[in-house]
Amino acid sequence: MQQTEETLQTVLQDTFALYTQVLDQHEAKLRSQEIGIVQSIGQGIAKIAGLPNVQSEEIVCFTGGSLGLVFNLDPEEVGVVLLDSSEQLQSGTQVRRTGKVLDVPVGDTLLGRVIDPLGRPLDGKGVVRTSQRRPAERNAPSIMDRAPAVNVPLQTGIKAIDALIPIGRGQRELILGDRQTGKSGLALDTIINQKGKNILCIYCAIGQRSAAVAKVIADLNEHQAFAYTTVVMAAAEKPPGLQYIAPYAATAMAEYFTDQGRDVLIVYDDLTNHARTYREISLLMRRPPGREAYPGDIFYIHSRLLERSTHLNAKRGGGSLTALPIVETEAQNIAAYIPTNLISITDGQIYLSPVLFQKGVLPAIDIGKSVSRVGGKTQLPAYRTVSGDLRLSYSQFEELEAFSRFGTRLEESTRLTLERGRRVREILKQKQYAPMPAAVQIAVMLSVTAALLDSVPITEIAIAELAIAQAISTELADLCLQIESGAVLKDADRDALLKVATTAIATVVKDTTDPKDAKDTTDPKDAKDTTDPKNAKNTTDPKNAKDTTDPKDAKDTTDPKDTKE
């Protein structure tokens, strides 16, 4: 027992001696830390004094944990954009530097999650755990890092786009139109069509209502598209600073996958709200306003964002980032400030017309005002056999339709062009959340350009299209795989498609003009009734004639009492 106590005493003495030695050798080093004081609080902004060495776009932390982004660097004070609620902040609150620029978490764990631009979860599924972070602001890839051409298609599943306004991987295609014309629905259809194509998607909601974003998430879940999608959400009720950084944060998350050689699709919904938010922040910071009160660098904030979308070359992994920015127009004015800025930045635009929307032509894509500057290089080779004729015939139809409304007597060729055009318009209609495979699209459009649908009534075009789709998918499954893999459509393949389509259309036409129905319409019994002598006798019955000229009735109409009155 005594030996144990001696051993314990020895251990304690050695330990305390070591502590004393360490303390004697330790020299306290002073570390400077800048702490500022809040001078004033505005709507989403704060003015701070006492941070002389703070840098632009640095993150600062307020007492209580709220974050802010350095926006203005003035001689006497610093303008900070708040990234959290300002309810607990007041004049005199302390602020300290973090020494870090704005960065966001990146990684595969973000897929299937709903997060805010700072990476904080909004879906109630717990903390997002990632091993890497990336700065939200980053230089766009250099010219030498980009692929020489954009030539790999990104299928949207929408006939009007894939055939007439093709989009390639690495392209920036603007979607614009008035309110409630289906802009977000078009982007959502594109995301849903990427199922099974090894393309990851990021949906960035900027200034949208929470209920609208919740519906988008529900639709993605319903169509099994949420597993490969990340939703970055900065709702309308959030601070303006959070809405401002949302697209940059979403792009940084997408670039992580692109640098790994993967293909990514990102949707910005929408950049009109982003521009308005930036204008609001700039005016509150007393930056000089320009056209429509927007600051002078409004073009630059969008160009540096969209320039990050590209197709990398093989040395950089060959990944691609395709951008679909959405912009809202007012009263169909595509020449407004923000729309024209983005039209000049992007590689084409898809314009949705409210006039077509009201007529029930959905999706309401105005083919004449929509363009893809990359062109047919991004299309599957099989599309080229039908897209040229289709666009030409549809353009002729739109011109002739305007003149035909005057009631002019039309030639037979003109009448046939109008009938063909009406069928093309019916073919281009498509329900939402119903993407169509490329091979079926080509078969349907080949049918209309080859005049196979001229005998089908307009009201039965949708039925004929469904019949063609089912027949092609079942009878020519191998050819469908060849078309979607990029094979050229040979004459024999074209004939096979037309043969199957003709058979499918014949069943529809047979159903609409069934001999039994035709027999019923000309039933001898019905014809006999219409010329029945009894009926004829009744129509010229003297009794009936007598009733129509009844003296009593005549007497009533010229009643002396009425005349006297």
Side-chain angles (χ1 to χ4, degrees):
M1 185 70 178
Q2 184 177 2
Q3 186 177 1
T4 305
E5 292 179 356
E6 291 177 355
T7 304
L8 179 60
Q9 187 175 3
T10 303
V11 171
L12 290 175
Q13 288 176 353
D14 292 343
T15 302
F16 284 119
L18 181 61
Y19 281 156
T20 303
Q21 183 181 356
V22 171
L23 290 174
D24 291 341
Q25 294 177 354
H26 176 70
E27 294 180 3
K29 295 181 180 180
L30 297 178
R31 186 181 61 178
S32 63
Q33 183 177 14
E34 294 183 18
I35 297 178
I37 302 297
V38 174
Q39 299 290 94
S40 62
I41 296 288
Q43 186 172 358
I45 67 165
K47 298 293 182 67
I48 299 171
L51 297 176
N53 297 317
V54 73
Q55 298 180 5
S56 179
E57 296 185 356
E58 182 180 341
I59 295 294
V60 294
C61 185
F62 296 86
T63 301
S66 298
L67 300 178
L69 178 70
V70 175
F71 195 72
N72 269 17
L73 294 175
D74 297 325
E76 302 297 331
E77 60 184 9
V78 176
V80 173
V81 176
L82 302 179
L83 302 180
D84 291 303
S85 176
S86 61
E87 294 178 356
Q88 298 179 354
L89 301 180
Q90 58 184 357
S91 180
T93 302
Q94 289 189 350
V95 189
R96 62 179 179 83
R97 291 182 59 187
T98 63
K100 300 187 300 182
V101 297
L102 177 66
D103 59 3
V104 295
V106 295
D108 290 341
T109 54
L110 295 178
L111 296 175
R113 299 298 301 269
V114 182
I115 57 177
D116 73 355
L118 296 176
R120 296 176 294 199
L122 300 175
D123 51 8
K125 296 181 180 179
V127 179
V128 179
R129 302 188 182 280
T130 60
S131 58
Q132 297 185 41
R133 298 183 70 89
R134 287 197 174 198
E137 290 278 6
R138 186 184 178 193
N139 291 333
S142 64
I143 297 297
M144 299 304 295
D145 290 335
R146 303 180 184 228
V150 176
N151 50 20
V152 181
L154 185 137
Q155 294 294 127
T156 65
I158 301 170
K159 291 171 287 187
I161 296 178
D162 291 341
L164 306 178
I165 319 160
I167 300 175
R169 298 186 187 184
Q171 186 175 345
R172 301 156 298 178
E173 186 78 6
L174 179 66
I175 301 175
L176 75 163
D178 286 7
R179 287 177 59 86
Q180 302 296 326
T181 52
K183 301 184 296 297
S184 300
L186 210 64
L188 204 57
D189 279 343
T190 306
I191 292 176
I192 292 172
N193 192 56
Q194 307 315 312
K195 181 180 178 181
K197 293 182 172 59
N198 198 26
I199 296 180
L200 307 178
C201 302
I202 294 181
Y203 179 81
C204 180
I206 311 167
Q208 302 290 323
R209 293 180 296 107
S210 298
V213 181
K215 185 179 183 304
V216 168
I217 296 170
D219 291 338
L220 291 174
N221 274 315
E222 182 180 351
H223 295 87
Q224 295 84 41
F226 196 61
Y228 55 85
T229 304
T230 300
V231 177
V232 181
M233 176 180 172
E237 62 270 14
K238 295 297 180 180
L242 209 60
Q243 299 178 43
Y244 165 65
I245 68 171
Y248 302 103
T251 305
M253 297 173 190
E255 285 175 333
Y256 167 80
F257 300 111
T258 303
D259 291 342
Q260 292 181 339
R262 305 170 78 176
D263 297 315
V264 185
L265 169 67
I266 185 168
V267 176
Y268 303 107
D269 191 10
D270 64 43
L271 290 186
T272 305
N273 290 334
H274 184 251
R276 291 169 182 165
T277 299
Y278 185 68
R279 175 174 62 181
E280 177 185 347
I281 295 172
S282 299
L283 293 176
L284 289 171
M285 290 290 185
R286 303 297 182 184
R287 291 191 176 184
R291 178 181 168 186
E292 296 183 17
Y294 288 103
D297 61 343
I298 188 68
F299 182 92
Y300 174 64
I301 71 164
H302 285 155
S303 63
R304 77 171 189 254
L305 169 69
L306 294 172
E307 277 298 320
R308 294 163 71 177
S309 299
T310 185
H311 194 169
L312 300 176
N313 58 24
K315 292 182 179 179
R316 287 288 305 273
S320 68
L321 177 57
T322 308
L324 294 180
I326 297 175
V327 165
E328 178 185 312
T329 58
E330 295 182 0
Q332 306 180 51
N333 182 20
I334 62 175
Y337 189 26
I338 301 303
T340 50
N341 277 356
L342 287 162
I343 286 173
S344 62
I345 294 170
T346 53
D347 306 314
Q349 71 273 355
I350 299 172
Y351 177 66
L352 299 178
S353 169
V355 177
L356 294 176
F357 187 86
Q358 293 165 4
K359 290 180 178 179
V361 180
L362 301 176
I365 299 174
D366 191 326
I367 304 298
K369 294 181 181 178
S370 302
V371 64
S372 175
R373 297 190 184 95
V374 174
K377 293 181 180 179
T378 62
Q379 279 183 315
L380 292 173
Y383 274 106
R384 298 168 193 167
T385 60
V386 296
S387 59
D389 296 338
L390 189 67
R391 192 178 188 104
L392 179 62
S393 62
Y394 193 71
S395 299
Q396 292 175 345
F397 159 69
E398 288 183 322
E399 291 181 4
L400 289 174
E401 190 180 34
F403 288 105
S404 66
R405 293 173 184 165
F406 296 107
T408 312
R409 182 178 295 177
L410 303 174
E411 297 180 357
E412 183 64 19
S413 59
T414 305
R415 189 188 65 79
L416 291 176
T417 302
L418 288 172
E419 291 296 325
R420 179 78 54 79
R422 292 189 181 99
R423 282 158 176 78
V424 171
R425 183 164 59 193
E426 288 295 320
I427 282 294
L428 292 179
K429 290 182 180 179
Q430 193 168 344
K431 294 181 179 180
Q432 193 173 7
Y433 307 140
M436 185 175 287
V440 176
Q441 291 184 29
I442 291 168
V444 169
M445 293 177 188
L446 194 60
S447 300
V448 71
T449 54
L452 298 184
L453 295 176
D454 288 0
S455 60
V456 181
I458 294 291
T459 55
E460 306 295 333
I461 292 294
I463 300 175
E465 179 183 358
L466 182 61
I468 294 171
Q470 292 175 348
I472 294 295
S473 300
T474 55
E475 299 181 27
L476 299 175
D478 294 338
L479 180 57
C480 292
L481 292 176
Q482 293 177 14
I483 291 174
E484 293 181 1
S485 63
V488 178
L489 191 66
K490 301 177 182 178
D491 291 340
D493 299 334
R494 185 176 183 274
D495 294 340
L497 288 174
L498 290 177
K499 182 178 179 181
V500 174
T502 303
T503 306
I505 293 170
T507 59
V508 176
V509 175
K510 182 179 179 181
D511 292 340
T512 56
T513 59
D514 196 347
K516 295 180 180 179
D517 297 335
K519 184 178 181 180
D520 292 340
T521 56
T522 59
D523 194 352
K525 295 180 180 179
D526 296 337
K528 183 177 181 180
D529 292 340
T530 56
T531 58
D532 192 354
K534 295 180 180 180
N535 294 336
K537 183 178 180 180
N538 290 336
T539 56
T540 58
D541 193 352
K543 294 180 180 180
N544 295 337
K546 182 178 180 180
D547 292 341
T548 56
T549 57
D550 193 351
K552 294 180 181 179
D553 295 336
K555 183 178 179 180
D556 291 339
T557 56
T558 57
D559 193 350
K561 293 181 182 180
D562 295 337
T563 306
K564 185 177 180 180
E565 289 176 358

